[in-house]
Amino acid sequence: MSVYEAVIGLEVHVELATESKIFCSCPTSFGAPPNTHVCPVCMGLPGALPVLNRKVVEYAIRAGLATGCKIAERTRLDRKNYFYPDLPKAYQISQYEYPLCFDGSISISEEKSIGITRIHIEEDAGKLIHDKTQTLLDFNRCGVPLIEIVSEPDIRSADEAKAYLSELRTLMLYASVSDCKMNEGSFRCDVNLSVRKKGETALGVRTEMKNINSFSFVAKAIEYEFARQVSVIEAGGEIIPETRRFDASDGKTYTMRSKESAEDYRFFPEPDLLGFEVDRQTVERIRGELPVLPEERRKMYVGNYGLVSTDARIITSRPELAAFFERAASRTKYPKIAANMILCDLLALVGAEGFDCPITAEALADIATLSGENRINSSTAKKLIKQIADGETRSPEMLVRALSLEQINDSEQLERVLREVIEQEPKLIADYKNGKTAAKKAIVGKVMAKTAGLANPIILNEVFNKIIN
């Protein structure tokens, strides 16, 4: 067991879902031809002046409230000065001393929460496109509004980092501030990591890994960088504060440049934009517009519907999925069965994003009711779900009647079928009585085949024990 522990803080950049950029009216839509969504303001041309998009401020407040943050009464924007080819102004308008949101937290389990240091608004830079002979610049992304969510260094492992990112992404989706599509760069993560011996409180020297756009890559980067730093320390070396890049092809991190400090960026108040007060009535209006958030929903699902906490966490991972479940749960006396059907059957039919479900919540609730009343068994339930997903328009009730799918609950009928199997399969019966437990599965399978899969497995098991045992 390692005597060292990782100390991890994450900086997450979330692209806000506004229609226009943060300081100009250029559109923010993804995938436009290069350098077509630009103007003098976002290109930083001389004399062009920024105007702050009010919607950006409101979306940032929504994100802050969703993560339990306090909202500043007064705030301002600052210039962050650095040169990079994708930053045409040679500075970025961001926030430094007075962030809009601060002192929040996110629960990643019943035992642990991760602190949120701050959430501030800023503009995105452009995009560098490299090939073998040249580097191209696409400035469409310049000025796209971002929030940067900075965690406390409370994370201790790759698994905790993934849990934090997953919960943070879920909250941003519930708050409706971003589509959080990692493949389009609207949710990306910088990892700050240092190591220290367990039991120590002082922080070690940290490195930063920039712009990682996958939860699994974040985990791999953390695992590699932790092992690298430990090996350097144990060899008597020193960790250098630096910015590193993660290479997904080999799972390693590589030096990019020395780590900048706040002094290197020469922050100062943005002279072209005034500081502003945040109206408390606006904050309360936005708070009232937020939906019920995942943690409260989980408590309701566990307390009211009898779900286990892990199932409740999966169902609340997407707003559309939670809404679907709640519609189904409101229509049936068997919400736990409905939840199991969602987890075991429906999630396999939908994509990773959203919840574009091929059947209605009402149909699922009806199937859950049929199952809960023992009118159909689990295999029939799966069959009904698939048929409706494939375009069947009849209701589950009508399908059960039309296709004679109702479960056989008559113990006398099942006993007659079982006795037929006993007469036809004496070897299986002998094998079972000689201790070959797999023979029971074969016998039950024969009964199921004779009943077209409609035998109630619980009653069949009781009949089997009565006759054979």
Side-chain angles (χ1 to χ4, degrees):
M1 182 180 293
S2 175
V3 298
Y4 296 93
E5 68 176 0
V7 180
I8 304 162
L10 300 181
E11 299 171 6
V12 177
H13 290 87
V14 180
E15 189 177 290
L16 299 179
T18 57
E19 294 182 2
S20 57
K21 293 184 180 181
I22 186 169
F23 300 122
C24 66
S25 60
C26 290
T28 58
S29 52
F30 179 82
N35 300 309
T36 56
H37 288 175
V38 295
C39 73
V41 174
C42 52
M43 289 294 290
L45 299 185
L49 294 174
V51 177
L52 179 59
N53 184 338
R54 180 184 179 91
K55 204 69 174 176
V56 170
V57 177
E58 293 195 357
Y59 276 20
I61 292 172
R62 288 177 72 88
L65 294 174
T67 52
C69 284
K70 300 172 185 175
I71 309 301
E73 294 186 358
R74 294 181 61 85
T75 188
R76 74 171 189 222
L77 292 151
D78 299 284
R79 281 193 186 181
K80 180 180 181 181
N81 297 275
Y82 67 95
F83 173 76
Y84 208 65
D86 60 6
L87 194 68
K89 297 196 294 281
Y91 64 85
Q92 178 191 39
I93 301 178
S94 181
Q95 292 189 294
Y96 178 56
E97 193 172 0
Y98 302 105
L100 183 57
C101 315
F102 58 95
D103 286 352
S105 68
I106 291 179
S107 172
I108 63 169
S109 70
E110 294 179 2
E111 297 80 28
K112 184 157 186 177
S113 293
I114 306 299
I116 303 289
T117 308
R118 57 189 282 145
I119 299 177
H120 61 258
I121 58 176
E122 63 184 22
E123 61 181 334
D124 207 347
K127 184 177 182 181
L128 297 175
I129 303 168
H130 306 282
D131 64 24
K132 293 181 180 179
T133 60
Q134 61 187 343
T135 295
L136 303 175
L137 289 165
D138 180 3
F139 290 112
N140 280 349
R141 206 169 64 186
C142 279
V144 167
L146 300 175
I147 51 174
E148 181 173 343
I149 304 171
V150 182
S151 83
E152 291 287 318
D154 294 339
I155 299 167
R156 295 290 174 267
S157 69
D159 285 343
E160 286 188 2
K162 287 173 68 175
Y164 168 81
L165 291 171
S166 177
E167 186 69 1
L168 179 61
R169 183 177 183 273
T170 295
L171 285 167
M172 295 303 100
L173 292 171
Y174 273 82
S176 301
V177 301
S178 175
D179 61 20
C180 294
K181 293 180 179 178
M182 299 186 79
N183 62 315
E184 295 182 3
S186 56
F187 189 94
R188 48 192 199 268
C189 177
D190 299 344
V191 179
N192 293 280
L193 185 147
S194 64
V195 300
R196 66 186 178 195
K197 288 189 174 179
K198 292 177 180 177
E200 293 182 350
T201 56
L203 297 176
V205 176
R206 67 185 171 94
T207 62
E208 182 179 30
M209 293 162 280
K210 300 284 286 186
N211 288 332
I212 306 176
N213 64 353
S214 147
F215 292 176
S216 62
F217 290 166
V218 166
K220 289 177 181 177
I222 286 171
E223 289 167 352
Y224 176 83
E225 184 63 12
F226 173 69
R228 186 192 72 83
Q229 290 192 24
V230 168
S231 65
V232 169
I233 293 169
E234 290 188 332
E238 293 185 358
I239 303 300
I240 301 170
E242 61 183 350
T243 298
R244 301 175 68 87
R245 68 176 179 86
F246 172 71
D247 190 330
S249 65
D250 62 8
K252 298 180 180 181
T253 65
Y254 296 91
T255 298
M256 290 175 61
R257 58 183 181 268
S258 61
K259 186 79 180 78
E260 300 92 344
S261 65
E263 289 75 17
D264 295 322
Y265 291 124
R266 305 187 324 278
F267 282 100
F268 61 84
E270 170 54 53
D272 292 334
L273 292 164
L274 294 173
F276 58 93
E277 294 184 354
V278 180
D279 176 48
R280 295 297 100 182
Q281 289 183 334
T282 298
V283 173
E284 293 311 310
R285 171 181 61 79
I286 294 170
R287 192 192 306 276
E289 292 170 353
L290 287 174
V292 178
L293 295 175
E295 190 167 0
E296 188 176 342
R297 288 177 191 261
R298 288 175 200 133
K299 291 177 181 176
M300 178 178 69
Y301 295 175
V302 171
N304 295 356
Y305 300 140
L307 273 61
V308 297
S309 59
T310 51
D311 290 350
R313 186 169 287 274
I314 294 171
I315 290 175
T316 55
S317 65
R318 305 183 220 173
E320 302 91 341
L321 176 55
F324 181 94
F325 168 68
E326 288 175 20
R327 287 199 304 274
S330 68
R331 186 184 168 100
T332 180
K333 294 179 181 178
Y334 306 95
K336 192 171 182 179
I337 294 177
N340 288 337
M341 289 176 177
I342 289 172
L343 296 170
C344 297
D345 303 314
L346 288 192
L347 287 183
L349 301 177
V350 299
E353 300 290 340
F355 189 68
D356 186 15
C357 189
I359 77 171
T360 66
E362 292 72 22
L364 185 85
D366 291 348
I367 296 172
T369 298
L370 289 167
S371 180
E373 293 176 349
N374 283 326
R375 293 181 57 197
I376 60 172
N377 58 29
S378 59
S379 62
T380 300
K382 290 178 185 293
K383 186 184 298 184
L384 290 174
I385 289 171
K386 186 176 186 311
Q387 284 183 295
I388 294 173
D390 288 342
E392 173 61 66
T393 58
R394 286 174 290 182
S395 70
E397 177 76 35
M398 291 176 64
L399 280 172
V400 167
R401 291 179 179 176
L403 302 178
S404 301
L405 297 176
E406 192 140 350
Q407 185 167 241
I408 300 171
N409 296 315
D410 186 339
S411 59
E412 292 184 359
Q413 182 180 350
L414 293 179
E415 183 176 335
R416 286 195 297 272
V417 177
L418 178 58
R419 290 191 182 280
E420 289 177 12
V421 171
I422 290 171
E423 290 178 6
Q424 295 167 2
E425 304 288 345
K427 185 177 184 305
L428 280 178
I429 304 302
D431 288 344
Y432 176 72
K433 290 184 175 180
N434 287 328
K436 294 183 179 180
T437 54
K440 179 178 179 180
K441 188 174 181 180
I443 297 166
V444 169
K446 297 283 186 182
V447 175
M448 281 293 184
K450 283 181 172 290
T451 59
L454 298 178
N456 183 322
I458 296 173
I459 297 176
L460 176 57
N461 187 63
E462 292 172 354
V463 171
F464 183 95
N465 290 335
K466 171 188 168 185
I467 295 176
I468 299 182
N469 290 340

